Amino acid sequence: MIKLYSYSPIINTGAVVKKIMPIDGKPLPFSLTEDNSFVYRMHEKCRVYGLGETVRGINKRGWIYKSWCTDEPWHTEDKRSLYGAHNFIIFDGEDTFGAFFDIPGRIAFDIGYTDSDTAVITPEKFNLDLYIITGDSLKDIVSQFRSLIGKSYIPPLWAFGYGQSRWGYVKEEDIRLCADKYQEANIPIDMLYLDIDYMDSFEDFTVNKERYPDLKGFAAEMKERGIRLIPIIDAAVKKLDGYSVYDEGHEKGYFCKDEDGEDFVVGVWPGKSVLPDFLDPGASRWFGAQYKALTDQGIEGFWNDMNEPALFYGEKALDNSFEELKTLEGSKHDAMSFFRTREIFIRLQNSDNDYKSFYHNTPDGRFSHYDVHNLYGYKMTQSAAEALKKLRPDEPSLLFSRASYIGAHRSGGIWTGDNHSWWSHILQSLQQMPGLNMCGFLYSGSDIGGFNADCTCELLIRWMSFAIFTPLMRDHAAAGTRSQEAFAFGDTEVFRHIITLRYRLIPYLYSSFIKAVENDEMYFRPLAFDYEDDEIAKSVEDQLMVGDSIMIAPVYIQNAEARHVYLPEAMRLIRMSSGDISTEELNEGWHYVSVPMGDVVFFAKSPIPLAKPAKNTTELNMDDVEYV
Ligand code: GLC
């Protein structure tokens, strides 16, 4: 049962696709305080799920989260916001209910942070739709919510293959060499990603001719080898007279405007840039149409980035900072003035002041960006998805984004942004997946091996052993970090084994994914969702159910060669060692399971189909399976 309480929403976010009539009255089970916070007293045993992309555990209790799409390169536990704004939450205590706060601006979820027994949810501005969902079970509540927000995006089958990315492959030769090394080592691969260096001076929809003299020919050559090229598109457009995308968008008035009606100028990768107004349907269609420049070259998929939107600076704020700096010239340069100097520039990034200084032209009226901030990345994804349907009507395209809001899940997937090559980030990725799935984001995954910082061979092995189960499986790293491709650490045998196994599992993974989309289910579930009466299962934070039949329990601790695994019912342990598959019946309860480096271990409730090894999805025969 879904009830809608409507508190003067300023805009139709488009998150919800079903029409529900609002009701008057108290938004039970919350109480509403005078300062417009929704308060819920949590039972001692109450567990809390959802909120999509956040730091910390599967059970969200014990922290404060703020929905505010943020370019945040440090996913440490103290953070309150990451790239997505996913305002769906389930309380599972004395009463069990879900709540979706459909609001395009900032909202804080204090889930037992200020007072451990109280959840206080505070929208910064009180203009929202609140949906309260009750049902027979956690799964039922999720399904009802998912049917409210519409079917999740389905990528092409080949997007279930493995992909390699690196900010640092600059030219065609770098990409070709990477393909060679994968294929020489017999490691399956389906996608190679192009980061911003393929563009001309970071100008969207351009290709640097020196680096890629013939992208069309190169894309065809790669496709012949079973590999798709997936270029990045950034939200901001370089402000440069003579650059056709800028000229045209400027002339048509498609960029976000400042108070005086001038294009608002910010700094991102291309330097001075302007922001397409994705909330304006005309501008959105216009931007989407630009993807043609690349689909015409044979490109079949994209990743959309910097669409929180990330602002290194606002032009006016930068000018003011240089003025302020002058006042510090000749100062004593003691610690305080040094820190002030530094702060003058640090605070420029993603500042609320800038977000308050530009406007969107939407069908519901003109809004300050600040009030609708969380919709920006979502609307960029929608713009691309709608365009790609027209540009490539016969085949699905791959599309995923960094920033998102619920609603974007119908148009594309997401990756979880700039994580680190840290052991803790394997666990964080695992813990993010069910929350994302609850909010409709099924095609998702994190940068395998970690984006920032240097990766090690062991970290990559363990990370991949988990990520073979994530629908989006991509190794990606930042410029300047140590190489972390599957061939980068010398011995390729172990990576060939793990990635080959991913391909062998695709019949199971893909059919589980499609089933989850069609039935509005979760592909990844916490054990609590399948074993609602099992108190131990409910507290497990580092295992997940994948589809109907598999449970995973990855190793995410440096040098650990075994781990405790909880089985809520008897299952078979399936051990995939290089060249050998073995199974063992295990009873319900705790087990100490040895997982030597390179073994992939998972648990099965029923026979699991395995395809024959294939070097890419083109060669994968989905029907020729054996059961293990
Ligand atoms: C952002 C993205 C990252 C990309 C980089 C350069 O940090 O999150 O994935 O490599 O920009 O484009």
Side-chain angles (χ1 to χ4, degrees):
M1 164 115 160
I2 305 182
K3 286 187 186 158
L4 164 62
Y5 301 85
S6 198
Y7 303 96
S8 331
I10 54 168
I11 191 171
N12 176 6
T13 65
V16 163
V17 296
K18 266 192 191 164
K19 188 122 193 82
I20 307 253
M21 291 313 286
I23 54 171
D24 284 334
K26 283 203 280 174
L28 291 173
F30 290 108
S31 56
L32 194 51
T33 63
E34 274 177 10
D35 61 349
N36 291 333
S37 287
F38 295 90
V39 176
Y40 177 65
R41 295 288 297 170
M42 293 183 290
H43 182 262
E44 192 192 341
K45 291 242 170 96
C46 177
R47 293 190 162 85
V48 185
Y49 303 101
L51 298 182
E53 191 179 22
T54 58
V55 295
R56 301 201 175 213
I58 293 174
N59 179 353
K60 306 318 294 180
R61 193 163 173 168
W63 188 239
I64 180 165
Y65 312 87
K66 290 193 178 165
S67 281
W68 187 253
C69 297
T70 305
D71 169 22
E72 175 53 76
W74 293 92
H75 307 174
T76 45
E77 281 187 24
D78 54 333
K79 293 296 148 49
R80 295 173 182 195
S81 311
L82 295 176
Y83 313 85
H86 305 142
N87 304 331
F88 176 55
I89 191 164
I90 294 185
F91 291 90
D92 184 23
E94 264 176 333
D95 7 64
T96 299
F97 65 97
F100 173 46
F101 297 81
D102 190 8
I103 178 169
R106 201 181 246 131
I107 178 165
F109 293 84
D110 177 340
I111 311 298
Y113 165 77
T114 305
D115 165 7
S116 47
D117 291 330
T118 311
V120 183
I121 298 164
T122 313
E124 198 174 275
K125 296 197 176 165
F126 199 64
N127 305 103
L128 70 151
D129 276 339
L130 166 60
Y131 296 84
I132 301 282
I133 306 169
T134 47
D136 298 340
S137 62
L138 293 165
K139 285 184 186 173
D140 178 39
I141 291 171
V142 170
S143 286
Q144 290 188 55
F145 174 60
R146 293 269 303 284
S147 70
L148 180 69
I149 59 172
K151 293 275 178 265
S152 299
Y153 159 78
I154 299 181
L157 174 72
W158 51 262
F160 275 75
Y162 168 72
Q164 179 66 56
S165 184
R166 179 172 182 83
W167 179 18
Y169 301 151
V170 170
K171 50 188 189 308
E172 180 180 298
E173 217 22 69
D174 301 333
I175 298 287
R176 188 179 286 110
L177 190 66
C178 186
D180 291 348
K181 289 198 173 168
Y182 268 99
Q183 293 187 335
E184 277 158 20
N186 264 318
I187 302 175
I189 185 159
D190 262 84
M191 288 155 286
L192 283 167
Y193 287 80
L194 309 186
D195 207 318
I196 45 176
D197 295 310
Y198 80 87
M199 300 178 195
D200 231 352
S201 313
F202 306 138
E203 291 160 23
D204 276 342
F205 310 112
T206 66
V207 178
N208 182 300
K209 284 281 170 222
E210 271 165 39
R211 296 171 177 176
Y212 292 87
D214 171 21
L215 181 65
K216 191 172 186 171
F218 183 51
E221 171 196 326
M222 283 293 131
K223 193 163 175 193
E224 189 66 24
R225 296 172 64 174
I227 296 175
R228 262 103 174 165
L229 300 179
I230 312 295
I232 193 170
I233 297 293
D234 281 353
V237 166
K238 185 169 176 133
K239 181 178 185 301
L240 177 70
D241 290 333
Y243 161 40
S244 64
V245 178
Y246 169 72
D247 286 344
E248 205 180 301
H250 173 68
E251 202 185 292
K252 296 194 161 144
Y254 285 159
F255 299 125
C256 294
K257 302 278 183 290
D258 66 14
E259 262 167 3
D260 305 324
E262 300 295 325
D263 289 351
F264 186 74
V265 180
V266 298
V268 201
W269 297 124
K272 298 224 165 129
S273 310
V274 287
L275 298 164
D277 186 354
F278 293 110
L279 279 70
D280 168 350
S284 166
R285 270 192 302 276
W286 165 78
F287 190 88
Q290 309 302 316
Y291 285 78
K292 184 169 188 301
L294 292 155
T295 53
D296 279 354
Q297 319 272 312
I299 297 299
E300 299 174 48
F302 297 89
W303 47 311
N304 281 346
D305 192 21
M306 307 303 274
N307 49 5
E308 293 69 28
L311 311 182
F312 297 164
Y313 57 82
E315 187 183 42
K316 286 185 187 144
L318 182 68
D319 292 346
N320 294 340
S321 297
F322 281 118
E323 287 305 314
E324 196 177 341
L325 191 63
K326 283 189 198 144
T327 66
L328 289 165
E329 265 176 24
S331 71
K332 293 197 291 302
H333 293 300
D334 54 11
M336 291 333 282
S337 60
F338 168 72
F339 285 120
R340 211 177 124 205
T341 309
R342 207 174 60 163
E343 189 51 33
I344 288 174
F345 289 93
I346 289 178
R347 69 176 184 218
L348 285 175
Q349 216 159 337
N350 306 321
S351 88
D352 279 1
N353 270 343
D354 281 330
Y355 290 136
K356 283 176 183 161
S357 307
F358 62 95
Y359 297 85
H360 294 276
N361 220 338
T362 85
D364 294 326
R366 180 173 177 265
F367 293 104
S368 152
H369 172 79
Y370 186 81
D371 291 338
V372 292
H373 172 78
N374 286 339
L375 304 184
Y376 193 78
Y378 154 32
K379 294 293 171 182
M380 180 186 186
T381 311
Q382 205 173 49
S383 147
E386 282 169 9
L388 289 170
K389 269 186 213 139
K390 288 188 203 134
L391 294 168
R392 310 185 63 251
D394 300 328
E395 288 171 58
S397 304
L398 171 59
L399 180 64
F400 60 90
S401 168
R402 195 172 72 174
S404 58
Y405 182 82
I406 291 173
H409 70 286
R410 298 189 298 266
S411 301
I414 56 169
W415 95 101
T416 58
D418 298 347
N419 57 5
H420 275 72
S421 299
W422 293 340
W423 288 91
S424 59
H425 277 184
I426 302 180
L427 179 61
Q428 182 168 288
S429 174
L430 176 148
Q431 291 175 324
Q432 285 174 333
M433 291 301 141
L436 287 174
N437 277 209
M438 282 171 63
C439 297
F441 294 94
L442 299 190
Y443 189 75
S444 50
S446 58
D447 287 349
I448 299 168
F451 176 74
N452 292 300
D454 290 332
C455 188
T456 63
C457 181
E458 291 72 21
L459 178 65
L460 190 64
I461 291 173
R462 293 306 197 192
W463 204 316
M464 288 228 181
S465 306
F466 157 60
I468 58 172
F469 295 98
T470 60
L472 166 61
M473 183 186 183
R474 178 180 78 146
D475 175 327
H476 180 46
T481 58
R482 181 184 191 193
S483 292
Q484 61 183 54
E485 294 83 1
F487 54 75
F489 296 100
D491 179 10
T492 50
E493 171 58 33
V494 64
F495 293 105
R496 178 164 52 252
H497 163 61
I498 297 170
I499 298 171
T500 300
L501 178 54
R502 155 67 169 217
Y503 280 75
R504 301 195 68 190
L505 281 165
I506 288 179
Y508 176 81
L509 303 177
Y510 188 70
S511 61
S512 300
F513 182 94
I514 298 294
K515 178 172 172 282
V517 173
E518 280 172 358
N519 300 343
D520 294 321
E521 290 167 356
M522 293 160 73
Y523 165 95
F524 279 124
R525 294 176 310 282
L527 272 47
F529 281 54
D530 284 29
Y531 303 94
E532 285 200 26
D533 299 326
D534 181 332
E535 286 304 317
I536 302 177
K538 282 164 128 177
S539 68
V540 171
E541 281 278 338
D542 59 357
Q543 303 176 199
L544 291 177
M545 306 303 297
V546 184
D548 287 340
S549 304
I550 287 182
M551 183 183 79
I552 56 170
V555 172
Y556 53 88
I557 292 179
Q558 179 171 322
N559 293 323
E561 297 230 341
R563 58 159 289 172
H564 284 101
V565 178
Y566 180 68
L567 266 58
E569 61 179 302
M571 292 185 195
R572 261 170 335 118
L573 178 157
I574 302 186
R575 179 180 300 279
M576 320 281 287
S577 313
S578 195
D580 184 44
I581 302 179
S582 64
T583 67
E584 190 186 336
E585 306 279 345
L586 293 182
N587 290 331
E588 147 182 7
W590 284 105
H591 297 268
Y592 191 62
V593 176
S594 121
V595 191
M597 195 59 81
D599 274 16
V600 175
V601 169
F602 59 92
F603 304 85
K605 287 168 56 174
S606 57
I608 305 296
L610 282 183
K612 295 263 163 5
K615 63 177 196 208
N616 51 48
T617 52
T618 318
E619 294 197 351
L620 184 72
N621 185 343
M622 296 280 279
D623 300 320
D624 185 9
V625 295
E626 58 177 286
Y627 282 84
V628 62

